[in-house]
Amino acid sequence: MAARAEPSVAASSQWRDPDGVRMPAGEAHAWWPGQNQTLCGLALSRSRLQRFQHIPWTDAFPESGGAADAVRRVCPKCRAATTGKGHSRRRWSRTLPRP
Ligand SMILES: [Zn+2]
């Protein structure tokens, strides 16, 4: 299995962009596809978090401008778990550019 550079997003709510793509809303957590819990240890089923396998975690950060339009809160634990090491300031690649 190819290693992924970053986790995907799990969020408490969702909306659809004009293209019909599901986008995260509410509270966002980091989640590795295939796992049943977030990086901070929340069980997806019990927390009623929705999975956004197509949205890279870093796109949920408001400053990324990616898929964060409706994200109200980024889980600090998940964020610390993914940004604590390295601290690279690379540009996030946008997988869903808007027209
Ligand atoms: Zn979290």
Side-chain angles (χ1 to χ4, degrees):
M1 213 165 97
R4 286 190 49 151
E6 59 187 12
S8 294
V9 177
S12 59
S13 187
Q14 71 169 40
W15 61 285
R16 284 180 191 272
D17 78 357
D19 296 326
V21 179
R22 286 198 313 125
M23 303 290 262
E27 183 168 293
H29 294 265
W31 159 72
W32 288 107
Q35 303 205 345
N36 57 14
Q37 64 177 28
T38 62
L39 260 64
C40 64
L42 285 177
L44 289 173
S45 51
R46 224 175 306 158
S47 321
R48 300 191 172 214
L49 292 169
Q50 314 199 26
R51 302 154 209 228
F52 299 86
Q53 189 158 355
H54 54 298
I55 307 286
W57 164 236
T58 47
D59 267 12
F61 294 2
E63 64 267 30
S64 77
D69 288 2
V71 172
R72 294 286 166 257
R73 182 170 182 268
V74 175
C75 172
K77 285 190 209 167
C78 285
R79 189 167 175 143
T82 51
T83 58
K85 51 207 165 198
H87 257 294
S88 64
R89 298 299 307 170
R90 72 182 174 85
R91 282 178 58 86
W92 313 120
S93 56
R94 296 188 58 173
T95 52
L96 298 166
R98 265 168 250 226

